[in-house]
Amino acid sequence: MTSWTITPEGPDSAAALALWRAYYTEVSDRWYLLHEGRRTDPAELEREFGARPGSELAPPTGRLLIARYDGEPAGSAGVRLLDPATAELTRVFVHEGLRGRGGAALLVAAAEDAARALGAARIILDTRTDLVEARALYARLGYTETAPHNDDIYAEHWFRKELVS
């Protein structure tokens, strides 16, 4: 029987780096294909990859979770505290060939647990219009669309979920 496992890892682990590269390549290529009809320039990909190492997802104020499917790195999700009561969900990703098997929902639930453990009462995130699967996932998991909480140039939709009952 195949199964998912989710464990915290450092953002500089080999699995985290490979998943971050896959995540960034996919979301960047989708944006450029939609808006400019091309894939991401490899040099730009390397600059962005180097500029965003994910150190904000390390303890004590963040966590990076790695999902494995049958022991192989398959996805990730990160949380970081923005203030003592608010965590941000970021880098939610599952390899394309493993989507539809429940991994993303498990990752988000584990990220919510990690946010609670960090003391957060709410979790927020942003995403883009073209990431329709992500928006559907968040809505299905109880996130509600809300007003913008940042001015990220790629953010087009903002979501929020209360973590306390």
Side-chain angles (χ1 to χ4, degrees), residues 121-142:
R122 77 193 59 80
I123 192 164
I124 61 174
L125 65 96
D126 65 67
T127 191
R128 298 190 326 233
T129 299
D130 64 306
L131 299 177
V132 293
E133 308 91 338
R135 292 188 1 254
L137 171 73
Y138 300 132
R140 189 171 69 247
L141 296 177

Side-chain angles (χ1 to χ4, degrees), residues 34-85:
L34 179 66
H35 295 283
E36 297 183 11
R38 66 174 178 89
R39 295 198 178 278
T40 309
D41 175 84
E44 180 187 358
L45 179 66
E46 290 308 311
R47 279 192 309 275
E48 187 66 19
F49 189 72
R52 296 179 168 227
S55 53
E56 72 280 6
L57 304 178
T61 58
R63 297 288 182 280
L64 179 65
L65 303 165
I66 301 296
R68 287 183 168 72
Y69 190 76
D70 283 347
E72 293 298 316
S76 65
V79 293
R80 67 181 180 132
L81 285 179
L82 298 178
D83 64 50

Side-chain angles (χ1 to χ4, degrees), residues 57-120:
L57 304 178
T61 58
R63 297 288 182 280
L64 179 65
L65 303 165
I66 301 296
R68 287 183 168 72
Y69 190 76
D70 283 347
E72 293 298 316
S76 65
V79 293
R80 67 181 180 132
L81 285 179
L82 298 178
D83 64 50
T86 308
E88 180 182 36
L89 177 63
T90 186
R91 297 192 191 193
V92 178
F93 173 75
V94 173
H95 278 298
E96 187 174 11
L98 295 171
R99 293 178 189 158
R101 300 180 190 195
L106 291 171
L107 272 164
V108 171
E112 290 170 1
D113 288 343
R116 281 185 199 93
L118 291 169

